[in-house]
Structures are given as structure tokens and as C-alpha cells.
Amino acid sequence: MQSILHSYCRVQCLRPIGTSKISIRWLDSSRNRGYASATSLTDFFRSNGELTRSTSRRRGVRHSSFTPEALCHPPAQATPRRPPSVVSLYTQLGKPRLTALIVLSTMSAYAITPESAIISTFSTQPLSSLATLFFLTAGTTLTSACANALNMAREPEFDGMMARTRTRPIVRGLVSTRQAVFFAAAAGTVGAVLLLYGVNEEVAALAVFNIGLYAGLYTSMKRTSILNTWVGAVVGAIPPLMGWSAAGGSLDDPGAWCLAGLLYAWQFPHFNALSYNIRDEYRKAGYRMTAWVNPALNARVSLRYSVAMIPLCVGLWYYGVTDVGFVVDSTAVNAWLVVSAAQFWRDCRKVDAAGLGKSAAASASARRLFWASIMQLPAVLVLAMVHKAGVWQGLYEYWRQWRGMNEEQSI
């Protein structure tokens, strides 16, 4: 009875007299929601069991069959999803995967810097200490999060046009633009202070410059010129210089620029392959990416910079950053990336020659190149650390000393 008191039914003819269709409408006053269903006049007088098996057409009723119970009792609302926590929202503002890549490339350069390259330092902490590494990691994380949050704050309306970015917090209205800017200002300030007083002035200056380059120039160029990809590659090349300087290395050393060039070149096969399969979304959102403006150039650039990584790795050996074994190992890994980029280039050429907008083969090769780049970069950086100049010689000298001490004790 309570449900009847809260709801009432109204029967309204949909057609002139003689038709068999009627409309049944009910209103739930407690929820201020209405539902309607169209069923035959015969079905209206059927039993509950018969109605359960009915195949009448419904509008607004969520149950699989039309019954008097469904008419008088509104369907239960779905359990609302738990909103994300504040920590989760602000972590998303910092683009955690991109920030992790920036931090790892910085730490790798810190570990790869050879002792022969350490000439001078502005560091307030002892070189190669855990304290320096902590301040470098924390400061780089916060400054990277600052740049990423500012990037999101500048283009939420365009991010909402792409499936890849439409779930970002600002687009969904979970974080306001003002809150994102405040978060970026706080993260950038704290990160720069940590780098300034915990590492050195040079690293702090590079981090602040990278914030302006990414959140300022790169973000503005995304809607005006395909050269935005080249500017974005410079953003990715600066963290290795930060790690090199934090370890006490001079930025005048050619080895530092070979390492930065390696990260610069890697951006093109990685991003060009990623953007190829979502080029239509970039186009609709107004982002001028090479993948849709000039797909043939997009593939050529991917291949060109994949090949460039081979001499850059040779340069790391030539300038004394790694030993000669790195040349052999890195060339094998880089050759795998070159083969993937060459296949992507060939498939895109076939598409261009045929005058077709899409190709399953080109899309598949783009995915292979993307995953090859994901695995190639960590492999090269790990190999560079394994083949760091002086590491194996130092281990050999340590083994000789240990062996000599054991021999003296035995005598």
C-alpha cells in the first residue's frame, strides 16, 4: 500500500478507439522521476506470470519484462561508484607514467656518469651520495608533475575531445583549473627548492627551464605547428643533463650530449608510432601532429631517428662514458628498433601510394614499433650502466686485492 500511496498510475490512449495500444505512465513522487511503457490492451489484463513472458515494447522501464510490480515499484538506482581520493586526483594531474619516465632517465644519467667526467660541482651534498640521489629524485618528480599539471590546466576542452585524455581529472570536473594551477605552483616551487639546495643551481635551472618549455612553448605549439614534436623531444632530452650535472659532470662534456641526444632521438619512434593509430582524434581536437598532417613524414622521421640512436651509442663509448662492449650490445638492441621502424615506414608508403586513409598493416606495424620503443630504451640504459667506463676494471682490481689478501693470510 505504501508504494501505491507514493505512486499513481495513469492510462492514456495512444490511438483512436478501436486500436489495441495504450500507454501506461506512472510517476514516483519520492524521486520525481517518470516512466512510460507501451503495451497492448490484451497484455494489460494478463496475469503476472503471463506478463513475465511478455515481449511487449518498453520505454523507461529498466527490467527485462513489463510487470505490475515493475509498474508500481520504481527500479533501484545503481550503486554510485566511490569517488577517487584527493591523492589519486592530484597524482593523475602529474601524469605518473610520464613523470616516472622522466625520473628514470634522470637517475640513469646520474648512475652512468663516469668518474673521469666529474670535473667540478656546485653541489651542497657529497657526490654520488644517497642524499644527492634523494633530492634529485624528489625534485625531479615534483617539477615534472608541475609541468604536466599546467599542461592539463591549459587544454581541458581539447582533452575532452580525445578518448585517450577525456578521463583526466579536469575534464571530468573532479578538479578545477584553479586547483590544478595551485597544485602546479606548489609542486614546482618545492621541487625547485629541493634541487637548488639539495643538488646544485645548474640542475634547478634546467628543471625550471623544462617547466616553461613543456607547459609554455610545447603546449602552445600543439595547435599551431607540427614542430611541437621536436620541441617536446627537447623536453625529454633535458633530464639526462640534470642527472649528469647532479653527479658532478660538466655539461661541456660531449658524453653528456650523446646521452641527451639518445633520449631526444627516442621520442620520435615512440611518439610517432603512438600518435599514428589515434591520428583522427588529434585531428578532430585540433592538434597539429605529423601523424595526420603528413603520415609519410611521420614514418620517415621515426626511421631516421631510430637509425640515429646507433651512432649516439657509439659516441658514448668514444667519449669514455662506456666500454667497448656497450657498442656491441646496444647496436643489437637498436637494430631491433630500426627494423620495426623500417617496417612501419614501408607500410605507410604503401598506404600513401594507394591513396588510402587507413591500413591494417600500417596500424599493426605502428603498434609493434611503439612496444619496441617501450622495451628498447630501458634496455639501452641498463646496458650503459652495466658497461659504465671503469666498472669492470674496478671490480677486477678489487678481486685481485681480495685474492692477494687471502694468499698472504694463507702463508
Side-chain angles (χ1 to χ4, degrees), residues 9 20 29 32 38 42 55 71 124 126 150 163 166 180 202 205 224 232-233 255 280 296 303 306 315 333 362 376 411:
C9 299
S20 61
S29 58
N32 294 324
T42 304
T55 58
L71 179 68
T124 58
L150 289 175
R166 66 178 51 150
E202 198 170 54
T224 60
D280 289 337
L303 178 59
S306 297
V333 177
Q376 177 263 352
I411 294 175

Side-chain angles (χ1 to χ4, degrees), residues 217-231:
L217 183 60
Y218 168 73
T219 302
S220 299
M221 290 184 65
K222 287 170 67 176
R223 300 183 60 80
T224 60
S225 173
I226 62 172
L227 294 178
N228 69 80
T229 305
W230 280 261
V231 175

Side-chain angles (χ1 to χ4, degrees), residues 346-370:
R346 284 196 298 267
D347 290 339
C348 287
R349 283 188 66 189
K350 294 176 182 177
V351 174
D352 187 59
L356 301 176
K358 296 182 179 179
S359 168
S363 298
S365 60
R367 285 190 292 269
R368 285 194 296 268
L369 176 59
F370 171 76

